[in-house]
Amino acid sequence: MRRMLLVVLLLVTSCGVAAEETVTVLGPWDPGGKEGKAFLATLDRFTRDTGIEVRYRGVRTVNAILRLSDLAGSAPDVAVLSSPAELARYARAGRLARLPRDPGVQERQYLALDDPARPYGVVVKTDLKSLVWYDRTVGTAAAAPFTSFADLVERGQQVRARGGVVPWCIGVKSGAESGWPGTDWIEDILLHLYGADAYERWARGDLAWTSAEVRGAWLAWHRLLETSGMLTQSRTMLLTAWNEHPPTPCAMEHQASFLRPQGWGVHPFPGDNSAVSVDVAGLFHDRPAARRLLAFLASRQGQQEWTGRAGGGFFSPRTDLDRAAAYRGDDIGLLVANRLAGSSRCLDGSDFMPQAVGTAFATAVLEFLADPRAEALDGILGRVEEVRRSVPPADWLRDACS
């Protein structure tokens, strides 16, 4: 009997150790794709160094899968989301463990709610949104960097006058998330024309959608499309996927660093500030092994490992990596990495805002392209403003820009 009890105790202890030394992770990178393989290789390095096994599930629909698993009581230990607002929703509901400050994590990586000393998430990956790609093979007017938004508009006019190609590649179709490429346009224009202070007030819900600044950003996008002859193709934009080009060759594209058209050149969107998207990790089960993994993924060692595996497919939120070595022979990758580390950054507005407002923002883009008359804009923005006013102040995040 005593021997049987000892066997049972050993089995229970053994199961406890196994559970403690295994961490589950949910993230947006397909394990079979380049990004997913780089992430898996980074996790393998963590396992070799610590002996802690990591089980990763990579899906594009992270938000939906996480909500279902949370309702079923089977949330992963760590989840990586592209929306700080969505992750914050779990923090407010008490579903996330607040993170202890780690000396190996840079301050700019942490995201907090009301208490900066108790962050709810840590940024583990970032992408630069403020970019304009151009096709070197079609002789565009985009060979020189852009000096202002007016310069950007003028380049489109020059391409249109020359003929043969469409000035701008624009597609906003993206399944249930359709519209976001248009929100990126508005965010960059607002940031450039009105500055980081106005952008910050808008992103935290303190600037009305009917304000002169927000309305001015939409009208500026309308002007760019109109002067480049693109308004007549607005319905084609609705039917074109964000990562596809229309049948007619196009010269320039406003798109993030994760797109990277093969053989194209790139310039930063004009201005000193940059809009960025982030992948932010949260801790759903406060276990030592999970905390250790999170700290590794955000650390200089983990980020350097990840960068080395993915090269131009990965950009770090940290400022202390050896970027010249990581992107040796990759001028575009180095340009993006330096811009991310050196410029003032503002988080993607539609990802930073409460989900209801972000959804209304994307819907407004679709409505605008379906009826791109300037006189229709007031009604479109008025509907988003109604949504903004319906959201409680406590649901908004602070500090979009840093």
Side-chain angles (χ1 to χ4, degrees):
M1 183 68 177
R2 185 175 299 174
R3 182 176 180 182
M4 183 179 294
L5 180 60
L6 179 60
V7 170
V8 170
L9 287 173
L10 286 172
L11 287 173
V12 170
T13 304
S14 158
C15 290
V17 170
E20 178 60 28
E21 298 301 315
T22 300
V23 179
T24 55
V25 177
L26 177 67
W29 308 293
D30 178 2
K34 181 179 179 181
E35 286 185 314
K37 290 178 180 178
F39 184 58
L40 287 173
T42 304
L43 296 178
D44 286 343
R45 173 61 183 270
F46 172 77
T47 298
R48 291 197 304 272
D49 291 349
T50 65
I52 298 172
E53 180 186 355
V54 182
R55 296 175 184 170
Y56 173 65
R57 182 182 182 186
V59 292
R60 289 294 182 187
T61 54
V62 174
N63 289 354
I65 297 298
L66 183 57
R67 288 191 178 198
L68 289 173
S69 62
D70 189 52
L71 287 172
S74 57
D77 294 316
V78 175
V80 184
L81 282 73
S82 60
S83 171
E86 179 70 4
L87 194 64
R89 189 180 65 81
Y90 289 100
R92 292 192 184 97
R95 293 293 297 114
L96 277 182
R98 297 300 178 95
L99 304 177
R101 295 280 172 169
D102 189 298
V105 179
Q106 290 189 329
E107 180 63 28
R108 73 194 321 249
Q109 293 176 265
Y110 283 119
L111 296 178
L113 294 173
D114 51 349
D115 184 357
R118 302 175 62 241
Y120 70 90
V122 59
V123 177
V124 295
K125 184 178 181 292
T126 188
D127 274 289
L128 182 60
K129 288 293 188 82
S130 301
L131 291 172
V132 176
W133 300 88
Y134 63 95
D135 188 346
R136 293 189 176 104
T137 68
V138 298
T140 74
F146 305 102
T147 59
S148 65
F149 182 74
D151 184 27
L152 205 65
V153 173
E154 185 178 347
R155 305 291 184 93
Q157 289 177 296
Q158 293 173 10
V159 174
R160 178 187 183 185
R162 187 182 303 113
V165 296
V166 174
W168 291 99
C169 321
I170 302 178
V172 301
K173 184 179 177 182
S174 185
E177 298 177 341
S178 292
W180 66 260
T183 69
D184 286 355
W185 267 108
I186 299 301
E187 289 158 5
D188 255 336
I189 295 171
L190 179 64
L191 185 58
H192 173 70
L193 293 183
Y194 300 100
D197 288 343
Y199 188 98
E200 174 73 51
R201 287 187 290 124
W202 171 69
R204 71 179 182 223
D206 292 340
L207 185 63
W209 284 78
T210 52
S211 67
E213 295 92 336
V214 177
R215 189 173 185 276
W218 283 82
L219 287 174
W221 191 35
H222 182 277
R223 183 169 70 253
L224 177 141
L225 295 175
E226 185 177 42
T227 57
S228 59
M230 299 292 296
L231 281 183
T232 58
Q233 302 183 35
S234 61
R235 292 184 180 273
T236 300
M237 301 174 197
L238 292 170
L239 301 174
T240 302
W242 67 272
N243 55 354
E244 295 178 347
H245 287 169
T248 305
C250 45
M252 296 178 287
E253 181 161 14
H254 174 262
Q255 191 54 270
S257 53
F258 52 68
L259 180 68
R260 195 159 184 170
Q262 189 67 32
W264 285 38
V266 70
H267 295 308
F269 199 88
D272 297 328
N273 302 308
S274 295
V276 304
S277 63
V278 294
D279 290 304
V280 56
L283 195 63
F284 280 78
H285 297 121
D286 192 7
R287 299 169 44 239
R291 288 200 306 270
R292 194 171 176 183
L293 172 63
L294 206 56
F296 170 78
L297 292 176
S299 70
R300 188 176 190 275
Q301 178 192 1
Q303 293 279 297
Q304 197 80 54
E305 179 80 19
W306 202 342
T307 303
R309 299 286 184 178
F314 174 85
F315 296 101
S316 173
R318 298 184 66 96
T319 59
D320 59 353
L321 299 192
D322 186 347
R323 296 185 294 277
Y327 300 99
R328 183 174 290 113
D330 180 4
D331 292 342
I332 289 178
L334 184 59
L335 179 151
V336 171
N338 285 338
R339 182 82 174 179
L340 284 167
S343 65
S344 174
R345 66 170 192 169
C346 291
L347 300 184
D348 181 290
S350 59
D351 291 337
F352 193 78
M353 297 171 181
Q355 186 182 30
V357 182
T359 300
F361 187 6
T363 300
V365 168
L366 303 180
E367 291 180 352
F368 173 73
L369 293 177
D371 182 10
R373 295 175 299 120
E375 54 267 31
L377 188 58
D378 287 340
I380 293 172
L381 296 182
R383 287 188 285 276
V384 186
E385 175 61 12
E386 290 179 5
V387 177
R388 181 191 75 90
R389 291 182 177 182
S390 71
V391 175
D395 287 357
W396 292 86
L397 299 176
R398 294 293 185 263
D399 303 321
C401 299
S402 60

